[in-house]
Amino acid sequence: MTEDPFVVHRSLLFTVAYEMLGSSADAEDVLQESWLRWADVDRTQVRDPRAYLVRTVTRQALNRLRTLSRSREEYVGEWLPEPLLTSPDVAEDIELAENVSIAMLTVLETLGPTERAVFVLREVFEVPYGEIAEAVGKSAVAVRQIARRAREHVAARRPRVPVSRSEQQAVVERFLAALRTGQLQELLDVMAPDVVLIADGGGLAAAAPAPIHGAALVASMLARPDRVVSAVWLNGAPAGRIEIDGRVAAVSLVVEDGKVTRIHAIANPRKLTRLDEPAELTR
């Protein structure tokens, strides 16, 4: 059983589905559906099992994404991706870590389903255009055009300046230290003046219903000492886990020019079920 191609490539298939959906629960459902289809396939007719499975998962993820679009429109408050606990090793693959980051998944959420699939398969997994065309039901020419538009869309919304792993970690550590002490000035010192806080409670946990702009407002919300703050690795980057009165939140940061420019805080308990067991993400 361990030599079955589905088992061999399971981490890759999960990563593809998660990149497209931003949810581990939905990604696992897609893998289950894909496994059932794979179990019925005549393996002797499959020349490249890896490519075949990626196409299958892509199709199932596209179906799921289209189904989810309505529920996400009706979501209470801001919607953020589900954070995954990862090992620091994921950060060794710089491109993978950037593309599975909470910031990038949030940007990908602004793409249409087909654009998102094409971008993920081409830019993250370097799938040939012909194979992508088969997966999404478009011509190779159309896929190239979609890929170009998606790249431009993402480039306009992703962080402007790449940050080294060491700088990201240093700024995150300063931010978490300021959270532990609850000192207003320490928080102000580590955040950019135009910092934005986006919180996702999903109607199940206390969270700001809309983004909060500006260091003064954000710091005043965060400056309270009655919390337990710990450093974790989420989605291939250093991040934080916060506990207040038994409630948990995951915090992911965007860093530019040595300052925190964006804070993603996920408090929806349904999105925090994978914070105790590392997920295997791979390309």
Side-chain angles (χ1 to χ4, degrees), residues 7-234:
V7 177
V8 171
H9 299 300
R10 192 184 191 287
S11 294
L12 164 68
L13 300 176
F14 174 82
T15 307
V16 171
Y18 174 71
E19 272 272 314
M20 287 185 60
L21 298 165
S23 161
S24 68
D26 290 316
E28 291 289 0
D29 286 346
V30 162
L31 259 61
Q32 180 64 26
E33 293 162 2
S34 300
W35 164 253
L36 293 174
R37 283 160 175 74
W38 173 246
D40 289 335
V41 169
D42 180 358
R43 312 291 172 82
T44 64
Q45 301 301 310
V46 180
R47 293 193 305 273
D48 185 343
R50 181 183 183 276
Y52 183 93
L53 288 167
V54 167
R55 288 197 300 272
T56 300
V57 165
T58 299
R59 293 187 188 112
Q60 296 307 312
L62 267 174
N63 292 339
R64 178 59 61 95
L65 199 55
R66 288 164 181 148
T67 301
L68 290 172
S69 61
R70 174 64 63 82
S71 62
R72 290 188 181 174
E73 288 174 2
E74 298 171 350
Y75 193 80
V76 177
E78 296 292 315
W79 186 94
L80 290 174
E82 179 181 347
L84 295 181
L85 183 68
T86 56
S87 71
D89 295 342
V90 173
E92 298 297 333
D93 185 338
I94 296 173
E95 288 188 14
L96 175 63
E98 179 182 356
N99 282 293
V100 299
S101 69
I102 296 296
M104 176 59 83
L105 292 174
T106 303
V107 171
L108 293 184
E109 192 66 17
T110 64
L111 291 171
T114 300
E115 286 181 310
R116 184 166 183 168
V118 170
F119 181 88
V120 167
L121 293 179
R122 184 61 189 170
E123 300 301 314
V124 184
F125 299 99
E126 300 177 343
V127 176
Y129 286 112
E131 290 185 20
I132 299 174
E134 285 188 58
V136 302
K138 303 282 186 182
S139 70
V141 172
V143 164
R144 287 178 182 273
Q145 294 173 340
I146 293 169
R148 177 181 54 77
R149 290 198 303 269
R151 278 195 300 271
E152 292 172 353
H153 180 96
V154 171
R157 290 161 176 79
R158 75 196 323 172
R160 296 184 299 274
V161 182
V163 177
S164 69
R165 175 175 167 179
S166 58
E167 181 182 355
Q168 174 86 12
Q169 193 157 7
V171 175
V172 170
E173 287 174 356
R174 284 181 59 206
F175 179 83
L176 295 180
L179 279 184
R180 288 189 189 98
T181 63
Q183 294 297 312
L184 184 66
Q185 189 58 52
E186 291 181 13
L187 283 167
L188 289 170
D189 289 343
V190 76
M191 293 189 299
D194 58 350
V195 65
V196 180
L197 168 64
I198 302 172
D200 177 349
L204 301 173
I212 297 173
H213 297 261
L217 278 176
V218 172
S220 65
M221 282 195 64
L222 297 179
R224 46 181 295 183
D226 56 336
R227 66 185 74 197
V228 178
V229 180
S230 55
V232 293
W233 282 80
L234 298 177

